[in-house]
Amino acid sequence: MRLDLTALRRLDNLWLQTTTASGARFATDTGTLQAEVYAPGILRLRLCTDTAEAGPDYGLLAAGPEPPPQVRLSQDAGVHRLEAGDLSLELCANPVRLRLARRGIALLESTGDAHIRGGLRLPAVAIEGEAVGRQGWFLALGLHSGEPVYGLGEKFGPLNHRGQLITSWNEDALGVNSELSYKNVPFAWSPQGWGLLVHTTARVVHGVGYPPWSQRSYVLRVDDPVLDLFLFAADSPAALLERFTHLTGRAPLPPRWSYGVWMSRCYYRTADEALEAARTMRERRIPCDVLVLDGRAWLKVETRFGFEWDAERYPDPEAFIRKLKALNFRLCLWEYPYISVHSPLFARLAEKGYLLRNTAGEPYVYEWDPGPFGMLLTPLPPSGMVDFTQPEAYAWFRDAHRALFAQGVDAIKPDFGEQVPEDAVAANGDCGRELHNVYPLLFNRCVYEASQRHAPGGALVWGRSGWTGSQRYPIQWGGDPQADWEGLAASVRGGLCWGLSGAPFHSHDIGGFYHQRPGAMPDPELYVRWVQTGVMASHTRFHGTSQREPWFYGDEAERIVRRWLEWRYRLIPYLEACALEAHRTGMPVMRAMPLAFPDDPAAWAFEHQYLLGPSLLVAPVLGPGGHVTLYLPEGGWYDLTNGGRVEGPRVLRRTVPLGEMPMYGREGHMLPLGPVVQHTGELGKGVLSEGAVIEEAWAFGTAPGEINGEINLSGLPPGVRVRHW
């Protein structure tokens, strides 16, 4: 992407207008700048022109401003300094620039990228796009040599975005092979101790030390007439995520059954085929909790989506669900927020004004590109798009789920949501350019609220797309990976990156969604390695365009997969404790090495291994032959395969048999484990602290074992076996 510096009008001047209890208001060349202490560790800057108007409030923020400690404002030699506690923000004029410091140490400041002729090569703050009538903002911040930057949503490339050009714009990425992604969040942070969030629904482009622009600068281009920027300062990455999720909200606790195995394929063609898969899993002792019916499995493609079963294949949905429940399965149904023009619903919703409109005021009909569907996937019909900014439309869509939940459906998979065109018009006055990114948030929020009201087994969604605040509506999965080793590796990176962006729960399609050869299945080795990796995540689902049930991959693969799924169910007490920590602090279940070990830069380069919670280090096998290179940080680590203790820091190169994956218990921590079961209905009903599902606890090392401050050796329920490693 080309950077046209001639299209930028630099902001040069700054004058103090008024002060408030939390900050100050300044006049600038073109409008105003407001600076305030929003909450402990959080500052807010808001820049706008005199003609800019604030858009609708989409509820991206979950916390309002807090009464600040004493805020001190001073001025010296043209530098305005805002101080609160150990934080200070300096704003300077000629040109306008900023400096964020904590305890007197600069964390983040405007770029110093200067031209040989003198002056800055890049403006620190500028207005962009005035000539074309689409005003936005340009901000350039300095980066230290080697300083990594993390976050920015679910991205499938390297976790460290230094050197990358990242666009916060939701796309149907059609895989995990490019910068495009389904879930974007304009939130970034550095182990240096700073973080930033662009509070917007508009497109944001991040040149993160992007060499064609400036290898020493973090350049932000915000396609919004208002630049609303939150700055965070904290001692650690975990504390930065705590502050970010305090501002944008934390995930509620998913129901226990959600931690079980979800089985899906694209797709079960008949009710009998779906029931046969469920019966076979029980007969073969394949642990599982949820069967997923994907889009074509229960709906007619020509008329979807309309909340109605395909009557030809499901003449009696209630009877089908009863048979599934008799096998102790829960049911998840696919949906998307589009209404086919061939559905009777389309005309009714259009008449009520429940659909997005075009500039002529007619319902906007989205025409799908048939190219990506090929011969494997059925092309989708022209469709209208539900307008979630219209309160009556939102309530209708939410409450239309009531009948499905009453039939016995347990969960909804809200797919898609990334297709709002920029020229669409919403009821609240926004055009598609402002609505595009936040539309998936509104969609998933609506369905989550439906499950809160009507789902008998507890609230959750299985969503694909998202934006700032999506962590409040768990859970999300990673889209449509290619069924090969690189698809597996990218899925791991996507989940870790999502966690580094404040979202604690993530899953991906075990086995990969599509194969290079349409309809082909992954080979058994890849399938088994994907199962091992997928089990060691917050949530676990099989899915793809061919069969994903274990018995299709041979006797050895089925035997190994069965053992790993049994291990998955033993982990549920531990995963529930991790979820409780996420709910309280924003700490993700899958913790990338920069987050887990911020004081060990050597660990940051290992971007495919992670801590699952505080106690387990996981190193997935991401290539044929079982070869793994992994890093153990400082301290003692216990190999879960053989019980041996390894002292870190240390790099290990291992070759492991197909049935094994490197996992290490962290010395001084504990791992509570439940029994081997076939589904979560066989577990106790008590909460974790009552110990109802804990059968055994592994204490790594001689130090008192602890997990998240919730369970320690002295507080275990009576009768729990303790294994000291």
Side-chain angles (χ1 to χ4, degrees):
M1 181 183 292
R2 182 171 174 268
L3 184 60
D4 182 7
L5 296 178
T6 64
L8 305 177
R9 180 156 65 93
R10 189 177 72 179
L11 214 61
D12 281 327
N13 296 304
L14 192 73
W15 306 274
L16 178 65
Q17 281 188 326
T18 60
T19 62
T20 66
S22 59
R25 177 187 176 98
F26 301 87
T28 71
D29 304 275
T30 61
T32 60
L33 186 156
Q34 291 177 283
E36 67 172 320
V37 180
Y38 193 84
I42 305 176
L43 302 175
R44 186 179 194 177
L45 291 175
R46 195 169 184 275
L47 260 170
C48 62
T49 64
D50 292 327
T51 58
E53 296 181 2
D57 182 1
Y58 286 105
L60 304 187
L61 306 181
E66 300 178 17
Q70 182 179 2
V71 177
R72 302 178 301 279
L73 187 67
S74 60
Q75 181 178 355
D76 181 34
V79 178
H80 300 275
R81 182 176 291 106
L82 189 71
E83 297 178 279
D86 60 2
L87 285 186
S88 68
L89 177 68
E90 294 180 357
L91 297 170
C92 311
N94 301 312
V96 172
R97 56 196 187 278
L98 65 86
R99 179 179 184 268
L100 174 67
R102 187 163 184 257
R103 299 170 187 155
I105 300 173
L107 302 179
L108 186 65
E109 52 191 320
S110 294
T111 183
D113 188 339
H115 199 283
I116 194 171
R117 295 191 301 265
L120 292 174
R121 193 177 66 88
L122 296 179
V125 186
I127 296 174
E128 183 174 13
E130 286 181 310
V132 295
R134 285 180 56 169
Q135 180 183 296
W137 289 93
F138 179 99
L139 186 71
L141 303 164
L143 292 173
H144 299 290
S145 291
E147 180 180 6
V149 176
Y150 299 101
L152 298 180
E154 179 195 52
K155 294 295 179 179
F156 303 109
L159 305 185
N160 177 9
H161 299 309
R162 185 67 180 262
Q164 298 178 26
L165 184 67
I166 300 288
T167 302
S168 296
W169 185 255
N170 290 337
E171 298 274 6
D172 184 348
L174 302 174
V176 296
N177 300 341
S178 73
E179 186 274 331
L180 302 180
S181 59
Y182 312 89
K183 294 176 275 295
N184 291 271
V185 181
F187 164 67
W189 59 267
S190 163
Q192 186 84 4
W194 61 263
L196 64 82
L197 167 69
V198 184
H199 179 220
T200 186
T201 64
R203 179 186 278 107
V204 182
V205 178
H206 311 256
V208 190
Y210 178 58
W213 292 359
S214 173
Q215 57 85 15
R216 58 182 287 170
S217 305
Y218 182 170
V219 174
L220 283 164
R221 301 175 70 182
V222 183
D223 190 16
D224 193 320
V226 177
L227 175 60
D228 194 359
L229 186 68
F230 285 89
L231 299 175
F232 306 89
D235 283 328
S236 67
L240 288 170
L241 287 187
E242 188 279 331
R243 289 288 78 197
F244 170 71
T245 55
H246 166 80
L247 180 67
T248 60
R250 302 216 172 100
L253 294 174
R256 175 173 291 168
W257 57 264
S258 73
Y259 299 105
V261 174
W262 299 51
M263 184 60 70
S264 178
R265 72 165 86 142
C266 185
Y267 58 104
Y268 299 109
R269 298 179 182 274
T270 66
D272 288 342
E273 187 177 36
L275 287 170
E276 180 61 24
R279 292 191 190 99
T280 305
M281 279 184 274
R282 292 291 180 243
E283 292 167 359
R284 291 177 174 265
R285 305 289 292 173
I286 306 295
C288 192
D289 262 81
V290 186
L291 192 76
V292 182
L293 296 186
D294 216 56
R296 292 171 294 169
W298 73 288
L299 299 162
K300 280 191 174 181
V301 173
E302 296 81 3
T303 57
R304 72 181 190 186
F305 173 70
F307 297 96
E308 295 180 350
W309 295 77
D310 182 347
E312 294 179 7
R313 291 180 296 144
Y314 291 88
D316 190 349
E318 289 85 356
F320 165 75
I321 295 174
R322 283 195 301 272
K323 293 175 183 177
L324 196 63
K325 300 282 181 163
L327 294 168
N328 293 298
F329 276 88
R330 295 180 182 268
L331 177 63
C332 175
L333 298 182
W334 178 102
E335 70 175 44
Y336 65 5
Y338 312 122
I339 310 296
S340 169
V341 297
H342 306 302
S343 168
L345 260 181
F346 179 85
R348 297 202 296 269
L349 298 183
E351 182 180 3
K352 290 176 177 289
Y354 286 5
L355 302 176
L356 293 177
R357 296 185 176 272
N358 58 27
T359 53
E362 300 296 325
Y364 201 117
V365 176
Y366 186 85
E367 300 281 352
W368 297 86
D369 177 8
F373 297 97
M375 299 296 294
L376 181 65
L377 301 175
T378 306
L380 303 176
S383 302
M385 296 166 278
V386 176
D387 186 351
F388 292 106
T389 76
Q390 216 276 23
E392 289 80 12
Y394 186 99
W396 167 80
F397 195 86
R398 179 195 64 214
D399 295 338
H401 291 83
R402 180 190 294 115
L404 293 176
F405 287 123
Q407 287 177 327
V409 174
D410 297 279
I412 298 294
K413 172 186 172 181
D415 204 352
F416 290 85
E418 311 94 350
Q419 283 74 26
V420 174
E422 294 192 43
D423 60 343
V425 180
N428 68 351
D430 262 358
C431 68
R433 187 159 54 98
E434 290 86 23
L435 183 64
H436 176 95
N437 280 327
V438 77
Y439 188 85
L441 177 75
L442 303 180
F443 171 36
N444 281 270
R445 177 189 294 166
C446 184
V447 181
Y448 187 84
E449 289 178 2
S451 70
Q452 283 181 307
R453 293 183 177 211
H454 307 302
L460 86 161
V461 296
W462 193 273
R464 183 174 82 171
S465 52
W467 189 248
T468 305
S470 283
Q471 68 271 10
R472 304 200 300 262
Y473 314 109
I475 63 171
Q476 292 82 38
W477 101 95
D480 300 330
Q482 186 171 333
D484 61 10
W485 293 103
E486 288 303 313
L488 171 56
S491 296
V492 172
R493 294 192 299 268
L496 294 176
C497 197
W498 188 232
L500 294 173
S501 305
F505 305 118
H506 189 267
S507 182
H508 56 262
D509 292 347
I510 290 178
F513 180 71
Y514 70 95
H515 199 279
Q516 184 178 3
R517 292 179 288 108
M521 295 168 59
D523 67 72
E525 181 185 11
L526 172 62
Y527 175 78
V528 168
R529 294 303 188 191
W530 213 313
V531 170
Q532 293 167 346
T533 306
V535 160
M536 301 303 289
S538 78
H539 288 78
T540 298
R541 185 186 72 151
F542 294 75
H543 190 54
T545 55
S546 56
Q547 293 94 334
R548 290 294 178 266
E549 295 83 2
W551 54 87
F552 289 104
Y553 294 85
D555 292 342
E556 181 187 21
E558 180 181 353
R559 175 181 56 80
I560 294 171
V561 168
R562 181 184 298 107
R563 182 166 58 85
W564 277 91
L565 297 186
E566 290 172 349
W567 169 248
R568 169 72 190 186
Y569 277 80
R570 296 206 70 194
L571 283 175
I572 287 178
Y574 178 64
L575 295 170
E576 287 189 304
C578 297
L580 185 61
E581 184 179 14
H583 173 66
R584 292 175 174 174
T585 70
M587 195 68 163
V589 176
M590 294 171 63
R591 303 170 185 183
M593 301 303 276
L595 176 61
F597 301 98
D599 298 324
D600 186 356
W604 306 350
F606 291 81
E607 294 198 333
H608 296 98
Q609 66 179 57
Y610 53 92
L611 282 186
L612 185 72
S615 304
L616 289 179
L617 188 143
V618 179
V621 179
L622 301 177
H627 308 296
V628 183
T629 299
L630 62 99
Y631 176 80
L632 298 178
E634 183 177 0
W637 298 90
Y638 290 82
D639 187 334
L640 265 60
T641 302
N642 58 33
R645 183 184 183 278
V646 183
E647 183 70 24
R650 186 174 178 183
V651 174
L652 298 179
R653 292 174 176 83
R654 296 186 54 185
T655 300
V656 296
L658 184 60
E660 299 177 10
M661 180 176 72
M663 295 188 295
Y664 293 84
R666 190 177 184 184
E667 192 164 70
H669 290 70
M670 192 174 69
L671 182 66
L673 296 171
V676 173
V677 295
Q678 290 299 297
H679 56 85
T680 55
E682 295 178 349
L683 296 172
K685 297 181 180 180
V687 298
L688 180 65
S689 59
E690 296 173 355
V693 302
I694 302 176
E695 180 181 78
E696 184 178 11
W698 292 356
F700 300 114
T702 57
E706 184 175 312
I707 171 171
N708 307 336
E710 292 301 312
I711 299 176
N712 54 52
L713 291 182
S714 61
L716 283 171
V720 173
R721 301 190 303 272
V722 178
R723 176 184 175 186
H724 291 272
W725 287 66

